[in-house]
Every structure is written in structure tokens, then in C-alpha cells.
Amino acid sequence: MVKLSAKCIVAGDTTVGKSTLVQLFRSDGSHFPKNYSMTTSMEVSVKNVQIPDTGDSVELFLCDSPGKAIFYEVTEKLWDQPGALCLVFDVTNESSFSSCAKWLQRVRAKTFSPQLPGVLVGNKTDMAGRRAVERGQAEEWAASNGLEYFETSAKELENFEQPFQALAKAFHHLYQERVENFRSLM
Amino acid sequence: MTRAGDLCLSCAGARVTLATSSDDRHPADNIIDGNPDTFWTTTGMYPQEFIISLNGIQKINKIILQSSLVRSVRIESSTSKEPVNFELRLERDLENTEGHLQYEEFTLPGVQVAHMRFVILSGFDHFVSVHRVSAEGDK
Ligand SMILES: Nc1nc2c(ncn2[C@@H]2O[C@H](COP(=O)(O)OP(=O)(O)OP(=O)(O)O)[C@@H](O)[C@H]2O)c(=O)[nH]1
Ligand SMILES: [Mg+2]
């Protein structure tokens, strides 16, 4: 039985729903912040995720980061040696999707590891009539960047756990691979 | 002057008195069991550290660290009865060795130590392994 710890950066443009998703996940769906409150500095929430059929778990240190550009310089300094990435955009906002490439590059630049478990999350699917980014388009971009893709509606409590569980699983998988590797070293 | 051999062995009275990561399958005691095939793994995030407490105060000349994926390490030592009041000895960046262990020697001529603290500041990956630490000295 092992308890792993992963520093998970939650990044993406402002108002896409990062804080909402983190709050929901941390509170098991009981806390949906009604009013928008802009994140101005990185906030860390800790949540333990069980890995099915193993007895192992991954403690996610969710680093909810501000999306607004003026806070970036300070935030970036707190991102060193990330263990996982949750990249969020708003499916009704095309430019929040285009920004993902930039966010991805910024976070990847902070790790020495050849692999960084990551997910791409398209949030606000409840606003179906205003959708500006198609699922296929997002899926394709995610796949070509080695990310797993999820769609969520924090508002309707839909799917909000899946991206984080996938990250925990990927991190755990990486650990097992590395340990296997350590065994073979001489 | 007679060589005292390796002081960082559980059979020589050394103990790991702190480790910030623990996986039952790869416990920190593996660092001082004398066998480089067994290892301690870190379980995510940096920094990580472990403390080896020797059998009383000993004079050492060098420390050897066998590990993998360690990128930078800091070594501190203390002569207190308890593992407290550490003093910085050195900090070093290591090379990434693929497919085999890192073998790093730290020369610390004639330093008195009771406890040695190893702080792993960064790694080449999310996890590192420490297979063996040895300290040689003369009594
Ligand atoms: N309709 C809808 N609104 C949502 C959803 N998720 C979040 N919101 C709303 O979107 C607004 C912004 O959400 P936040 O979670 O604060 O956004 P953020 O990404 O943390 O923004 P910054 O902190 O500025 O980076 C809030 O008013 C939320 O209530 C969703 O799934 N559907
Ligand atoms: Mg926020």
C-alpha cells in the first residue's frame, strides 16, 4: 500500500471554471460557488483519490491558478516541478481553447520529467446553445498533445470527478513503471 | 590508522530516523541494508529527505550515494544526540545516468557526524530511488 503525492497544476484562461471544478471535486460535489470570485493567487486544495483494485491512493495537491494575465508572473514561480496538469477551457469560448497551447507549454517548461500526466477539460457543456468548440476538435488537439480529454458541466455536477481521477490513475501508473525500472538498475 | 569500514549499515548500528516518503514495498531501511539491489523510492513531490543516524558520533572521510534520477541533493550533518541542529555540508547537482545507478562520492575529510540529512531538492523525474548510502571513516 502506498500513498503518492502529486502537485497538480490547474491552469487555463480566466472564468473558464477552474476554481469551480476544484471546489466541487474537493467537496465531493457539495460546494458549487454561486458567485464568481476571481482567483488572484494560487490556492492549494488537497484531495485524496483511491486507485481502484490496489489499496493505493494519490493525494492530489490541486494548485488552482489565476487565469488573468496580470497574476501570471507571481504564479509561475510557484509551479516548479509539477506532477500533473489539469488544463481547463470553456466550450462556449473559442479563445479560451486557443490559449490551451500556451498554458500547456508554460507548465511543461517547469518539469524535468519526460512525462507529465495531463488532462484537457472542456467545461460549461450545459450552455449547449452557445458552444463554440466542438468535441472532435478538442479531442483531436488533446490527443496530439498527449492529453486525455473530458467534458464537464460544473454547474450541473456532470463529470467533474473524472478528470481528476484520470490524473491520479495516470500518476500512479507512472509510479509503477518507474519502480519497475528502479528494480532493473545496477 | 585503521579503516573502520562502512558506518551506514544497520548491522553497524545505523538507523534511518526519518524519511519523507514511504512505500511498504520499498522502505527507507533499504538504504542501509548493504544491498544496492534494494532501494527506497520517493512517492511524489519535492523536496524529499531522509536522515541516517549513526551509532554515536563518528569521524567520516567520505559519503557515497547510489541512486537514480536525483538531480540535486543537499547534505547536512549534526553531532547532537537527537537528529536536530543540522549544519549544511554541501549541495550538488548530479548527472542523469540512464540504465544504471548514479554513483556519487562526497569528500568530507575528518568531519564528525552523528546524523546525516539528505535533502533531495529536485529529480529528473517525478520519483527518485536511493539504493545505498555509505560513509567511510577512521575511528
Ligand atoms: N454555466 C456554467 N457556468 C459555470 C460552470 N463552471 C463555472 N461556471 C461559472 O463561471 C464563472 C467563473 O468560474 P470560476 O471557477 O471562478 O473560473 P476560474 O477559471 O477559476 O477563473 P479565474 O479565477 O479568474 O482564473 C463563475 O461564475 C462560475 O459560476 C459551468 O459548468 N457552467
Ligand atoms: Mg479561479
Side-chain angles (χ1 to χ4, degrees):
Chain A
M1 224 177 68
V2 64
K3 186 177 190 173
L4 306 176
S5 307
K7 176 173 177 176
C8 176
I9 308 297
V10 183
D13 278 1
T14 182
T15 73
V16 297
K18 298 179 297 296
S19 299
T20 309
L21 284 166
V22 168
Q23 297 289 324
L24 266 189
F25 182 61
R26 190 189 58 174
S27 66
D28 295 316
S30 64
H31 183 65
F32 178 82
K34 283 199 187 61
N35 298 314
Y36 170 55
S37 149
M38 185 189 290
T39 309
T40 58
S41 63
M42 194 177 92
E43 288 166 23
V44 184
S45 303
V46 185
K47 175 83 176 172
N48 198 47
V49 181
Q50 296 293 331
I51 306 299
D53 314 314
T54 59
D56 297 343
S57 62
V58 178
E59 198 158 51
L60 292 177
F61 288 72
L62 300 162
C63 302
D64 179 19
S65 307
K68 264 260 189 287
I70 42 164
F71 306 118
Y72 178 63
E73 206 178 315
V74 177
T75 307
E76 182 255 352
K77 295 192 172 63
L78 306 170
W79 277 358
D80 64 310
Q81 309 202 59
L85 167 65
C86 178
L87 189 55
V88 187
F89 72 96
D90 172 352
V91 296
T92 70
N93 178 342
E94 167 87 57
S95 79
S96 73
F97 176 63
S98 335
S99 292
C100 287
K102 170 188 78 186
W103 289 112
L104 178 64
Q105 190 199 2
R106 285 172 167 182
V107 179
R108 284 212 170 131
K110 308 295 279 182
T111 178
F112 305 111
S113 172
Q115 277 160 290
L116 181 70
V119 293
L120 176 68
V121 179
N123 187 38
K124 307 200 185 181
T125 54
D126 53 283
M127 301 207 281
R130 293 176 46 194
R131 190 188 262 272
V133 182
E134 292 312 315
R135 179 187 262 275
Q137 189 185 353
E139 248 164 14
E140 198 177 304
W141 185 82
S144 67
N145 285 283
L147 304 168
E148 209 176 330
Y149 183 59
F150 295 89
E151 292 202 336
T152 59
S153 164
K155 194 177 176 206
E156 316 256 273
L157 305 190
E158 224 171 83
N159 240 2
F160 66 93
E161 289 170 310
Q162 275 80 339
F164 299 108
Q165 280 160 350
L167 281 176
K169 243 173 127 166
F171 192 74
H172 180 259
H173 183 76
L174 208 57
Y175 177 71
Q176 290 180 309
E177 267 184 20
R178 291 300 176 273
V179 170
E180 243 355 274
N181 210 15
F182 294 153
R183 256 187 243 284
S184 65
L185 294 175
M186 304 272 280
Chain B
M1 199 168 83
T2 53
R3 280 174 73 84
D6 186 0
L7 303 165
C8 283
L9 284 171
S10 36
C11 61
R15 285 174 309 137
V16 177
T17 42
L18 179 133
T20 48
S21 276
S22 76
D23 179 341
D24 311 341
R25 289 159 290 206
H26 306 284
D29 287 339
N30 285 349
I31 299 172
I32 53 166
D33 67 355
N35 178 1
D37 290 339
T38 62
F39 53 87
W40 170 67
T41 55
T42 64
T43 56
M45 304 220 295
Y46 294 95
Q48 293 278 343
E49 67 173 79
F50 60 93
I51 295 174
I52 299 176
S53 297
L54 303 181
N55 189 9
I57 298 180
Q58 313 271 356
K59 198 162 131 195
I60 62 166
N61 283 319
K62 72 175 175 194
I63 296 174
I64 296 165
L65 172 70
Q66 287 173 262
S67 57
S68 74
L69 299 174
V70 174
R71 187 170 172 277
S72 58
V73 66
R74 186 168 74 215
I75 301 180
E76 299 169 354
S77 68
S78 153
T79 48
S80 303
K81 198 164 162 44
E82 301 297 322
V84 291
N85 302 323
F86 281 91
E87 271 178 66
L88 175 65
R89 288 294 166 201
L90 53 89
E91 209 170 293
R92 193 182 290 178
D93 290 337
L94 274 57
E95 300 269 314
N96 194 8
T97 55
E98 265 165 60
H100 58 99
L101 290 178
Q102 294 169 312
Y103 184 98
E104 201 69 21
E105 271 191 33
F106 307 90
T107 329
L108 293 165
V111 174
Q112 302 266 7
V113 302
H115 312 278
M116 298 184 292
R117 170 197 252 156
F118 296 79
V119 184
I120 298 160
L121 300 165
S122 64
F124 289 103
D125 209 331
H126 305 293
F127 314 101
V128 308
S129 60
V130 178
H131 295 243
R132 182 100 177 76
V133 169
S134 33
E136 286 171 21
D138 35 54
K139 269 207 172 128

